[in-house]
Amino acid sequence: MTPTLLRSGLACAALGVAFLGALLVLRGGGLGWLLIALGLPLSLLLALAGDALGNDFGGTLRMRAAVLSAQMRPWMWLLTLYAVLKIPVPLWPDAFPSLALLSTGALFAAALAFAWERAGARRALIMAALGFAVGLGVEVLGSRTGFPFGRYSYAGAPGPTLLGVPLLVPLGWFALPLAAALLAGGRAWLAGLLLVAWDVGLEPLMTAQGYWRWSDPVPLWAGAPPQNFLGWWAVGTGLAWAFVGLAPQVFGRPGQGWGVRETSADSPTLFYPPDVERASLLNLSRLSFSAAYPVETFFLPGGLVLVGRYAEAAVTLTAMLAALTLVWAVRGRR
């Protein structure tokens, strides 16, 4: 077993302990808080130095933590904040609207910081404005006319809202299409499929939280009709296509983009202690904002489990893993 695989396995096991603790808390078990308090920090420690257990664990942990900190970019810290803000959501139901908005805001900021670093300020701001405006526009149109998603309403949705649409919705329409397009290697159609798989979990969770209500006469899943998923694919594909056109180099595509004159920032320089073999270190140089999608693959089904939506969680996990498998198969042909 490779050191990376060993670290990942041990960290996931510790996260499982924390997840079990969350289930116990939701059922009134006081022991659950102890499992959460142990599992969460332990998962971070094991992710850094789990392969060094019994062999200078403390020294290895300190060294790798220093290396990791030196490599972290602003968008990485924001992406971490987005994930951290998701953790207390199931345990603090009354704070769901605030935590969801803060988490999505951190995700939006991380996406903007990533695009700014890789494509320059002007392109990044255009991409963010485009994603936000298109997302807001289709949601206003959809909630009032039934096109392109079907008949639904935001009446009674938690605030803050903009033109009747919860603010976190257009924020997400920039961040997640960007992550999907990166994961798909710039293939817009494939990014659209990733977003459809994500929405499979979003529908039961957000309708349960009162963010929108479906009244479509042809429901397929959690009240949403087939038209909803076709609409998600079309809008997601269109946004991914536009993002790739604006900054093709960010997605590994040739070209300079659609006439926006600006060079991207220099690639970040990574720090390594001179007396340590690089093979044993965490190397963040190849990490991109596409990591947001795997994070959602963990938290979205997990959140459904914690609110008692077990069947929906299983379907969501299956859909998102199938989408990731398709990405692996398509990109593996290159």
Side-chain angles (χ1 to χ4, degrees), residues 149-152 203 207 213-229:
F149 304 115
R151 296 180 185 175
Y152 66 102
E203 293 300 336
T207 53
R213 290 180 293 179
W214 285 100
S215 57
D216 199 275
V218 191
L220 173 67
W221 173 253
Q227 177 185 344
N228 171 68
F229 302 102

Side-chain angles (χ1 to χ4, degrees), residues 44-50 52 56-67:
L44 297 176
L45 299 179
L46 293 174
L48 280 174
D56 192 23
F57 176 80
T60 302
L61 179 64
R62 287 191 294 272
M63 180 272 294
R64 290 181 179 170
V67 172

Side-chain angles (χ1 to χ4, degrees), residues 22-45:
L23 288 174
L24 291 175
V25 168
L26 291 174
R27 286 158 177 75
L31 179 62
W33 290 111
L34 177 61
L35 295 180
I36 293 171
L38 290 174
L40 286 178
L42 185 60
S43 67
L44 297 176
L45 299 179

Side-chain angles (χ1 to χ4, degrees), residues 1-318:
M1 181 180 294
T2 66
T4 300
L5 187 59
L6 178 58
R7 290 197 299 267
S8 300
L10 291 172
C12 288
L15 281 176
V17 171
F19 192 79
L20 175 60
L23 288 174
L24 291 175
V25 168
L26 291 174
R27 286 158 177 75
L31 179 62
W33 290 111
L34 177 61
L35 295 180
I36 293 171
L38 290 174
L40 286 178
L42 185 60
S43 67
L44 297 176
L45 299 179
L46 293 174
L48 280 174
D51 57 322
L53 290 174
N55 184 23
D56 192 23
F57 176 80
T60 302
L61 179 64
R62 287 191 294 272
M63 180 272 294
R64 290 181 179 170
V67 172
L68 181 65
S69 178
Q71 294 183 76
M72 290 286 285
R73 310 297 299 165
W75 68 266
M76 295 178 188
W77 289 114
L78 288 165
L79 189 62
T80 301
L81 176 62
Y82 139 79
V84 168
L85 286 169
K86 283 182 169 292
I87 294 172
V89 167
L91 306 177
W92 194 6
D94 292 341
F96 183 92
S98 298
L99 290 171
L101 178 60
L102 288 172
S103 178
T104 307
L107 184 65
F108 179 92
L112 178 59
F114 175 83
W116 195 305
E117 179 182 283
R118 302 298 175 92
R122 186 175 300 177
R123 293 178 194 269
L125 290 171
I126 290 173
M127 292 164 67
L130 177 65
F132 187 92
V134 169
L136 179 63
V138 295
E139 296 293 350
V140 170
L141 179 66
S143 59
R144 296 180 182 181
T145 69
F147 177 83
F149 304 115
R151 296 180 185 175
Y152 66 102
S153 171
Y154 284 118
T161 62
L162 181 61
L163 300 179
V165 178
L167 183 59
L168 61 77
V169 174
L171 291 174
W173 270 115
F174 165 55
L176 264 298
L178 176 62
L182 288 164
L183 195 58
R187 296 170 180 83
W189 67 270
L190 187 53
L193 289 179
L194 285 166
L195 291 170
V196 170
W198 179 61
D199 186 52
V200 167
L202 200 64
E203 293 300 336
L205 181 62
M206 299 305 276
T207 53
Q209 297 295 333
Y211 274 86
W212 56 79
R213 290 180 293 179
W214 285 100
S215 57
D216 199 275
V218 191
L220 173 67
W221 173 253
Q227 177 185 344
N228 171 68
F229 302 102
L230 290 173
W232 265 82
W233 181 83
V235 176
T237 297
L239 282 174
W241 173 79
F243 292 164
V244 175
L246 284 165
Q249 70 278 12
V250 174
F251 305 90
R253 299 284 178 167
Q256 296 300 315
W258 293 340
V260 182
R261 295 184 178 179
E262 186 171 47
T263 58
S264 60
D266 294 334
S267 298
T269 301
L270 301 181
F271 164 75
Y272 290 99
D275 57 340
V276 179
E277 294 183 7
R278 295 190 179 190
S280 66
L281 298 178
L282 297 171
N283 186 345
L284 302 184
S285 63
R286 288 179 291 182
L287 184 65
S288 82
F289 184 72
S290 62
Y293 194 90
V295 171
E296 281 292 308
T297 304
F298 173 81
F299 278 107
L300 190 51
L304 287 166
V305 168
L306 291 175
V307 297
R309 301 294 186 99
Y310 303 114
E312 290 92 336
V315 173
T316 299
L317 182 60
T318 300

